[in-house]
Amino acid sequence: MLEKLKSFKAIAAAGVMGAVLLSGCGSESTNGGSSSSDSEKEDSFKVGVTQIVEHPSLDAALEGFKKALEEKGLEVSYDVQIAQGDQNNNQSIANNFAGDGVDLIFANSTPSALSALNATKDIPIVFTSVTDPVGAQLVKSMETPDGNITGTTDTHPDAIPNMVKFINEQFDTGTVGVIYNSGEQNSEVQIEKVKEALSSTDMKLAEATVSNSSEVKQAAESLVGKADVIYIITDNTVVSALESVIQVSNDNDIPLFVGELDSVKRGGFAAYGFDYEDIGYEAGEMAAQILKEGKKPSELPVQYPQNLKLVINKKAAEEMGIELKDEWNDLAEFVE
C-alpha cells in the first residue's frame, strides 16, 4: 500500500512538472507575442511638452505638432506642462522632463526652449514659437543648429516691416504704442525691429512694459492720449491678456494691430502673419525625423514660417471706428 502511494505521488509530481513545462511554453509563446508587441512599441514614444503660457497661438502650435506626429504614424504619449508665465516653473518642468528621460522635449516658446536646453544636452529638443533662435543662443545658426536642439521660428523677416509700412501708408499716425515684457528676449528683438522699421518713417514709438499679465490693461490705458495706434508684437505675456488691450482699444477708438492671426480672430484689427498651427506642424515633422528616422537635431536646419498674409477683422474695425477702404480688398483677407 505504501509503495502504491509512493508511486501515485511520483506520477502526480511528474504531472505537475509537465504542466509547469507546458505552462512555460505557453508563456514563451505569449512573450513571443509580447516581443512582437514590444517591437511595435519601438514606434511608441513619450514627449514632454513645455509651454510658457496658454494662449490661442501657442495652443494652435501644439495641435499642429501633434497632428504631424499622428500623420507620420507615431504612437506618442504627451506630458503637457504649462508654466503659467513663471520662469521658475518653466525650469522645473524642463528639469523634470530631463530626469524622467523622455524621448523628446517639445518647447513651445523662447523661454521654454531656453529652460529645456539648460536642463539637458542629451535629450532631443524641438522648439517652435521662438522669435530669434540665434540671438537667444539656442542654436549656432539657422542652417547648422549644432547640439541637441532645432525647430521652427515664428518670425517672418517681412512681418514687422510690412505691418509698419501698412500703418504708415494707410493711417494718419504720429505715434505707435507698443506693450511688451522686457524680460522676454524674443520681445526685445521684435521691438528693435519695430524701431528699425519706424526709422524710415516720421512715426515715433511710445513704449509700455510689463512683467506679468495682470499689468497689461494698465499698460494699455497708459497709452491712451499718447499713441494713435497700438501694435502688439508676439509677446507671450501680453498676448495671454490680449482681451484687456482689445477693450481699451475699443473704448477709445484706437486701431489695434497685432503680431499673429489668432490675435486677429480674438479681436485685433489687423496682422501680417501666418497660422501657428503650420509652424507647429513643421516642428512635428522635424520631431518625426528625429524619433522615427534617427536624425539628429543638429542635422535639421531651423525653419522659417511660410505663407505670410495680411488679415483684417471687420468687426474689430467697426468697434475701433476704422473705416474699411476698398483698396484693402486687394491687399488682405477678411474675417468677421
Side-chain angles (χ1 to χ4, degrees):
M1 186 65 153
L2 184 59
E3 292 301 320
K4 288 183 179 180
L5 182 60
K6 288 181 179 178
S7 177
F8 177 77
K9 286 182 177 179
I11 293 170
V16 169
M17 183 62 71
V20 169
L21 290 173
L22 287 172
S23 174
C25 291
S27 267
E28 188 63 36
S29 175
T30 302
N31 287 341
S34 288
S35 295
S36 175
S37 176
D38 289 342
S39 177
E40 291 173 3
K41 287 182 180 178
E42 288 180 3
D43 282 345
S44 178
F45 304 96
K46 184 172 183 180
V47 172
V49 177
T50 173
Q51 184 171 310
I52 186 64
V53 291
E54 288 181 285
H55 65 64
S57 295
L58 295 183
D59 295 343
L62 175 55
E63 289 308 308
F65 180 83
K66 290 180 176 180
K67 182 178 179 182
L69 288 176
E70 182 180 356
E71 291 184 358
K72 292 294 183 181
L74 278 73
E75 182 183 333
V76 180
S77 62
Y78 297 93
D79 184 358
V80 180
Q81 299 289 330
I82 311 296
Q84 304 301 340
D86 188 310
Q87 187 54 39
N88 290 328
N89 290 344
N90 210 35
Q91 191 60 60
S92 294
I93 290 167
N95 291 343
N96 288 339
F97 286 156
D100 290 344
V102 296
D103 296 300
L104 182 139
I105 296 175
F106 176 51
N108 198 5
S109 75
T110 300
S112 303
L114 286 168
S115 292
L117 190 59
N118 186 50
T120 178
K121 296 296 187 289
D122 300 313
I123 297 172
I125 302 167
V126 175
F127 61 73
T128 196
S129 312
V130 170
T131 298
D132 183 11
V134 178
Q137 298 183 340
L138 289 168
V139 298
K140 183 178 179 181
S141 72
M142 301 290 278
E143 296 77 19
T144 54
D146 205 8
N148 62 317
I149 187 168
T150 189
T152 59
T153 174
D154 65 355
T155 296
H156 192 291
D158 296 330
I160 289 176
N162 285 0
M163 192 80 273
V164 171
K165 181 180 179 182
F166 182 80
I167 294 170
N168 187 46
E169 293 179 350
Q170 301 295 332
F171 289 80
D172 184 14
T173 303
T175 303
V176 176
V178 293
I179 308 168
Y180 65 101
N181 184 343
S182 57
E184 285 195 28
Q185 189 272 347
N186 62 307
S187 298
E188 291 281 8
V189 169
Q190 290 181 81
I191 292 301
E192 287 304 313
K193 290 182 178 180
V194 172
K195 290 178 179 178
E196 183 180 344
L198 287 173
S199 66
S200 61
T201 74
D202 293 327
M203 296 185 295
K204 298 179 181 179
L205 189 69
E207 300 179 47
T209 60
V210 298
S211 58
N212 58 66
S213 58
S214 66
E215 300 173 358
V216 172
K217 185 175 182 182
Q218 184 177 357
E221 290 172 339
S222 74
L223 293 174
V224 177
K226 295 180 182 178
D228 301 299
V229 304
I230 295 176
Y231 181 20
I232 302 301
I233 55 173
T234 59
D235 180 284
N236 292 303
T237 304
V238 180
V239 173
S240 68
L242 186 67
E243 280 68 26
S244 59
V245 185
I246 293 170
Q247 181 183 337
V248 172
S249 294
N250 290 347
D251 291 346
N252 295 277
D253 286 347
I254 302 175
L256 175 61
F257 297 87
V258 289
E260 25 72 41
L261 303 186
D262 289 300
S263 290
V264 177
K265 296 172 186 175
R266 290 166 70 185
F269 164 61
Y272 269 99
F274 47 86
D275 292 319
Y276 267 66
E277 183 174 341
D278 291 344
I279 60 171
Y281 187 92
E282 290 160 7
E285 290 184 314
M286 300 170 83
Q289 291 182 67
I290 293 168
L291 294 172
K292 196 171 184 178
E293 301 174 20
K295 293 275 189 178
K296 296 179 180 178
S298 59
E299 298 174 326
L300 303 174
V302 178
Q303 297 183 24
Y304 288 101
Q306 307 298 315
N307 306 318
L308 186 69
K309 58 186 176 182
L310 175 63
V311 177
I312 291 174
N313 186 323
K314 287 185 176 181
K315 183 178 179 181
E318 183 179 350
E319 293 283 354
M320 297 169 194
I322 302 169
E323 183 178 348
L324 297 174
K325 299 181 182 180
D326 291 338
E327 62 190 274
W328 294 349
N329 292 331
D330 298 326
L331 300 175
E333 294 181 10
F334 293 88
V335 296
E336 298 293 337

